[in-house]
Amino acid sequence: MQKPLISLKNVKKYFPVGSGLFGKRDRWVKAVDGVSLDIYPGETVGLVGESGCGKSTIGRMVVGLTNPTEGEIYFEDIKLTDYRSKKKLGKNLQMIFQDPYSSLNPRMTIADIIQEPLVLHKIGTKKERRKRVDELLERVGLASHYGGRYPNQFSGGQRQRIGIARALVLEPKLIVCDEPVSALDVSIQAQILNLLKEIQEDMGLSYLFIAHGIQAIKHISDKVAVMYLGKMAEFAKTEELFNNPRHPYTKALLSAVPEPDPKLRNRERILLKGDLPSPSNPPMGCRFHTRCPMAMEKCKEMEPRLLSTSEQSMTACLLYKDKIAT
Amino acid sequence: MTSKEEWPLLEVKNLHASISTTKGNIIPVNSISYSIKPGEIVALVGESGSGKSVSALSIMRLNAPEIKYKSGSVINYKGKNLLELKEKEMRRLRGNEISMIFQDPMFSLNPVHRIGKQIAETVKLHRKVTPKEAKDIVLDLLKKVGIPDPERRMSNYPHQLSGGMRQRVMIAMALACQPTLLIADEPTTALDVTIQAQILTLIRNLQEETGISVLLITHDLGVVAEIADRVLVMYCGKIVEEGTVDELFENPLHPYTKGLMASVPELSEHSKRRLETIPGSVPNPLELPKGCNFCDRCPYASEECGEKEPVLTKASAESDRQVACWYPLGKKGEINHYAKTSNFS
Ligand SMILES: Nc1ncnc2c1ncn2[C@@H]1O[C@H](COP(=O)(O)OP(=O)(O)OP(=O)(O)O)[C@@H](O)[C@H]1O
Ligand SMILES: Nc1ncnc2c1ncn2[C@@H]1O[C@H](COP(=O)(O)OP(=O)(O)OP(=O)(O)O)[C@@H](O)[C@H]1O
Ligand SMILES: [Mg+2]
Ligand SMILES: [Mg+2]
């Protein structure tokens, strides 16, 4: 059997809140509260969920920008949590950010931005680096003579291409894409999604793809993880998740997606009431019970575990029983 | 004679806005005309930079001072040209009969006042109410836009709210004065789909209950399909297509509209096809292509398209559909050479 490229094992990330100079750190934002996830070579895992549910925090932990409070992350069986392994393996793990406007240093030329990781890792001669930059510019659909220009001379879509070229320069095995298309026009979104797919086919890398846009997630992902308030609500093969969503939160999420077809206007929708509860004080029992249209009495006390609900899906909901284990 | 109800509430005629920069003239809005009837939800769509916000801000007369209107530009609201109104009269209309949800939330929220107070001020400005009544109205509005625990939230400052909540407070504020016309510039872009659905339902219910008219600006075609009655498609400062929402989604006439639609991955679709894209990107406003501004991205463009500019003309005898294209698309989305508009002659 194939081994996962990246493996998160019961990962938690707590941020202290309201800790002043002598602050007692007794209140925490449980941004990520026990998430396990495997990503295999060459596959794309989509990550969705309401704003603030911990998606970016997971992405940042995977690429080593921040450490888990608890739990472990493995890269090809090597534990990533200590500094030395991170330094050695870090180049395999790259990230593309949401905002193509602020994530590129305005005072650096495009070529310098793209080759910066090579310089930092002391890879190649000046000439070799320059050649690599030219190749990458062409790879992401920009002319190589653009290398001498500055970011403000490019549109949003072009800047996102530059961000992608930069993420590719070290030939990583996994790229975390944090909302890579949300800030772009639909037409440009499509160009970038196609580009990401082509690159994946060429180079066989994996993506952790974080997005609000459910359509984009569906389009690009092999598997999808749905998060709610720091926990995984459902994890399934993309087809399975969309054809047969199980968790009531997933159902609500999918039914809320606006369909670009006026004929579907009067379809049935599950409207969620209320707001996302505070992650520093999540509800007891199932975290979704305060907004769940299917909530039962026991949901207020019992916290559901993520169980296999079919060969291709796992759900954390008391409505379901473990199908595989028993 | 048409009945009074059919009269446009808002009638924009030849609205033309320009900005002179050191590098040349930018024309963010280039002679556009459209109207909005009472109770109608009209969507304005188009890519970033196509002039949506500038044209909406013109109605409020809130554009940056460097943006100048060409003489002959008309924005009739209930028969009065807003562009010629005295600032004092304009102020009375603004936030009283016409209110706007801005693309940038910080444009309309004051960071140093509690949100409850801000909304109450708006209410008091437009209605004679006691402080107690004002408070009840505010609570009711916050509830309507889906702010949980409104009693407590009223005493928050804007920075204590999440982005999505701030946007909802803005929506509450825009509704506080019971406007006749609501202009909503990307009101749900920063929101999650679940909250977006709540807000869209709210706007539609309001429209049904109070009959307000809405000009909705968005680049999300899903949102358009959910809520709009009629759609205006903008490209490089011009309206290139207009039609009812059903007509437009059923059969886009302009290749640009079709391209926008094809770029959206559909949820109901199974195949993992490569997404269709519109090649290239929106042209630099200082170097607009000659002829049809879309011609260098258009798969159907002929030589003529690069020479002569098509104007917005009626596309069929039966309906009010309009398109600005030399080769509007046929029913099956192919170009229809026979339908080559009379534009050329
Ligand atoms: N450095 C930090 N210090 C304190 N709290 C933080 C920090 N980073 C994130 N958080 C909190 O952790 C939670 C999860 O944040 P995260 O950015 O992962 O959410 P997200 O799912 O990416 O949301 P969005 O969709 O809005 O980007 C939020 O409540 C956030 O306020
Ligand atoms: N104050 C200004 N000075 C110079 N140029 C401006 C100014 N305001 C707008 N523009 C330009 O006018 C054009 C139209 O801008 P507008 O904000 O109306 O676009 P939009 O369609 O709302 O785009 P978006 O979807 O990004 O909000 C753009 O090219 C923009 O750069
Ligand atoms: Mg995030
Ligand atoms: Mg705008």
Side-chain angles (χ1 to χ4, degrees):
Chain A
M1 243 188 66
Q2 208 183 13
K3 275 197 202 150
L5 180 72
I6 277 276
S7 198
L8 277 70
K9 300 225 186 288
N10 197 23
V11 167
K12 297 183 182 175
K13 181 75 190 184
Y14 293 179
F15 294 105
V17 279
S19 59
L21 199 50
F22 306 102
K24 285 176 294 188
R25 297 194 159 189
D26 56 352
R27 283 192 64 217
W28 302 88
V29 173
K30 299 176 176 174
V32 176
D33 201 11
V35 166
S36 300
L37 175 70
D38 291 336
I39 303 175
Y40 289 88
E43 82 175 359
T44 301
V45 172
L47 192 52
V48 291
E50 251 166 279
S51 175
C53 71
K55 304 180 296 293
S56 297
T57 306
I58 289 192
R60 293 167 58 83
M61 287 191 288
V62 166
V63 298
L65 284 174
T66 175
N67 281 325
T69 313
E70 234 185 277
E72 286 107 45
I73 300 177
Y74 293 88
F75 175 82
E76 293 177 337
D77 285 346
I78 308 162
K79 198 166 153 179
L80 265 191
T81 8
D82 63 272
Y83 172 77
R84 277 221 313 277
S85 69
K86 254 201 300 200
K87 199 168 170 203
K88 212 170 86 209
L89 300 172
K91 70 185 179 74
N92 288 301
L93 305 163
Q94 297 293 323
M95 188 146 174
I96 303 170
F97 297 91
Q98 164 169 14
D99 187 353
Y101 294 92
S102 61
S103 57
L104 303 177
N105 185 339
R107 276 185 279 281
M108 283 166 77
T109 65
I110 299 311
D112 286 343
I113 288 173
I114 296 175
Q115 65 176 335
E116 192 184 28
L118 292 176
V119 176
L120 291 177
H121 281 86
K122 302 196 177 66
I123 299 171
T125 63
K126 224 174 172 179
K127 212 169 133 203
E128 284 163 350
R129 283 184 219 142
R130 184 64 229 200
K131 190 164 156 263
R132 182 95 183 98
V133 168
D134 288 353
E135 281 167 15
L136 282 168
L137 279 172
E138 306 234 334
R139 184 68 205 82
V140 299
L142 296 170
S144 56
H145 66 258
Y146 281 176
R149 297 201 193 172
Y150 290 87
N152 66 5
Q153 292 169 287
F154 292 92
S155 70
Q158 287 173 323
R159 285 181 213 208
Q160 204 51 294
R161 288 170 192 269
I162 295 162
I164 294 171
R166 181 190 155 97
L168 287 173
V169 74
L170 292 170
E171 300 185 27
K173 295 195 174 157
L174 176 104
I175 299 183
V176 173
C177 309
D178 193 357
E179 305 270 5
V181 295
S182 312
L184 306 172
D185 279 325
V186 281
S187 61
I188 310 296
Q189 285 189 15
Q191 291 174 7
I192 298 293
L193 290 178
N194 286 341
L195 175 67
L196 287 171
K197 272 194 139 169
E198 275 168 35
I199 290 171
Q200 184 171 50
E201 280 157 24
D202 283 6
M203 311 178 47
L205 41 69
S206 308
Y207 293 129
L208 177 61
F209 191 94
I210 301 169
H212 271 142
I214 313 270
Q215 280 106 330
I217 287 274
K218 176 174 183 205
H219 186 77
I220 201 159
S221 312
D222 301 302
K223 295 174 188 161
V224 180
V226 181
M227 281 184 70
Y228 187 80
L229 218 59
K231 284 206 181 264
M232 190 98 85
E234 185 159 357
F235 182 55
K237 283 253 172 75
T238 305
E239 295 272 290
E240 179 78 359
L241 189 101
F242 283 87
N243 293 340
N244 195 357
R246 289 184 171 80
H247 198 286
Y249 176 63
T250 314
K251 290 183 183 173
L253 198 65
L254 296 188
S255 86
V257 178
E259 283 276 359
D261 181 354
K263 287 198 220 70
L264 299 176
R265 210 178 253 195
N266 294 319
R267 70 186 183 281
E268 253 183 71
R269 248 165 303 201
I270 309 163
L271 282 183
L272 286 184
K273 296 214 171 60
D275 229 3
L276 195 64
S278 157
S280 60
N281 186 20
M284 294 276 291
C286 171
R287 295 177 179 215
F288 186 54
H289 86 259
T290 52
R291 298 167 75 198
C292 181
M294 313 283 290
M296 304 169 285
E297 208 44 48
K298 63 178 173 185
C299 302
K300 291 182 189 160
E301 285 132 34
M302 234 160 97
E303 182 153 3
R305 287 187 306 129
L306 197 65
L307 302 172
S308 303
T309 35
S310 80
E311 306 229 325
Q312 307 193 320
S313 74
M314 293 164 87
T315 313
C317 173
L318 296 177
L319 288 170
Y320 300 93
K321 294 210 169 62
D322 199 335
K323 285 250 171 68
I324 305 290
T326 51
Chain B
M1 275 287 288
T2 44
S3 77
K4 189 163 181 279
E5 285 306 295
E6 285 296 302
W7 286 5
L9 177 73
L10 184 85
E11 194 182 20
V12 173
K13 281 193 280 192
N14 303 319
L15 178 66
H16 188 105
S18 64
I19 308 163
S20 67
T21 71
T22 48
K23 289 177 191 153
N25 247 355
I26 294 179
I27 304 179
V29 178
N30 193 338
S31 290
I32 65 170
S33 301
Y34 64 89
S35 59
I36 302 177
K37 295 191 206 97
E40 203 179 22
I41 302 183
V42 175
L44 187 56
V45 299
E47 280 170 284
S48 184
S50 55
K52 305 182 296 293
S53 294
V54 171
S55 58
L57 286 164
S58 316
I59 303 171
M60 296 291 276
R61 285 233 319 251
L62 286 175
N63 267 318
E66 62 267 26
I67 296 184
K68 307 280 183 226
Y69 304 107
K70 195 165 147 181
S71 67
S73 298
V74 174
I75 301 179
N76 278 337
Y77 172 79
K78 292 186 173 167
K80 270 185 283 188
N81 186 358
L82 298 183
L83 293 175
E84 286 169 358
L85 230 51
K86 290 214 181 65
E87 181 55 33
K88 200 174 135 210
E89 286 175 86
M90 194 62 219
R91 216 174 302 143
R92 205 163 45 219
L93 277 182
R94 215 183 277 145
N96 197 352
E97 290 193 35
I98 310 176
S99 66
M100 179 153 177
I101 302 166
F102 297 91
Q103 193 167 5
D104 175 6
M106 282 320 186
F107 201 100
S108 57
L109 291 180
N110 188 330
V112 302
H113 291 304
R114 300 177 195 278
I115 59 147
K117 184 175 165 217
Q118 292 191 51
I119 305 173
E121 287 303 317
T122 317
V123 172
K124 282 189 232 153
L125 218 62
H126 303 287
R127 280 185 254 175
K128 284 207 177 64
V129 286
T130 65
K132 168 81 179 61
E133 284 165 337
K135 188 184 164 200
D136 288 343
I137 294 173
V138 172
L139 273 177
D140 182 53
L141 282 165
L142 289 177
K143 242 182 251 156
K144 271 198 176 136
V145 295
I147 301 259
D149 201 359
E151 191 93 40
R152 190 169 63 88
R153 288 294 176 188
M154 276 175 74
S155 58
N156 278 170
Y157 292 95
H159 72 92
Q160 292 173 306
L161 305 176
S162 76
M165 271 196 228
R166 235 176 287 166
Q167 195 146 15
R168 279 176 277 172
V169 168
M170 272 211 320
I171 296 171
M173 205 133 103
L175 299 176
C177 57
Q178 300 174 306
T180 322
L181 173 65
L182 173 69
I183 303 169
D185 195 352
E186 303 278 6
T188 59
T189 343
L191 303 178
D192 296 296
V193 285
T194 48
I195 297 164
Q196 170 172 286
Q198 257 179 49
I199 297 292
L200 294 182
T201 310
L202 173 73
I203 293 181
R204 199 152 50 177
N205 289 347
L206 259 171
Q207 188 272 324
E208 277 161 19
E209 285 160 24
T210 67
I212 66 171
S213 307
V214 182
L215 177 65
L216 174 77
I217 296 168
T218 176
H219 62 249
D220 187 337
L221 290 169
V223 171
V224 175
E226 290 285 346
I227 191 170
D229 299 313
R230 213 147 44 81
V231 188
L232 311 166
V233 182
M234 258 185 114
Y235 189 73
C236 294
K238 294 176 199 136
I239 294 176
V240 295
E241 178 160 5
E242 175 185 347
T244 66
V245 71
D246 292 320
E247 288 169 342
L248 203 98
F249 279 85
E250 173 89 32
N251 173 210
L253 295 176
H254 200 290
Y256 177 61
T257 314
K258 189 188 165 214
L260 281 182
M261 286 176 181
S263 313
V264 186
E266 272 176 57
L267 264 196
S268 43
E269 160 195 70
H270 290 286
S271 73
K272 291 232 160 173
R273 68 183 165 107
R274 208 187 129 78
L275 290 173
E276 280 178 52
T277 60
I278 305 175
S281 52
V282 180
N284 180 340
L286 289 165
E287 300 159 14
L288 291 182
K290 255 186 72 187
C292 171
N293 293 152
F294 187 58
C295 70
D296 56 352
R297 301 175 73 191
C298 181
Y300 310 111
S302 73
E303 227 169 88
E304 293 155 305
C305 300
E307 283 153 19
K308 282 178 76 179
E309 195 183 330
V311 294
L312 195 65
T313 36
K314 236 169 126 77
S316 90
E318 305 90 65
S319 75
D320 288 334
R321 287 202 79 176
Q322 299 199 82
V323 65
C325 175
W326 295 123
Y327 303 109
L329 300 167
K331 271 265 180 309
K332 296 199 185 81
E334 295 133 7
I335 59 163
N336 181 356
H337 284 281
Y338 304 101
K340 215 165 123 175
T341 45
S342 53
N343 260 323
F344 265 129
S345 50

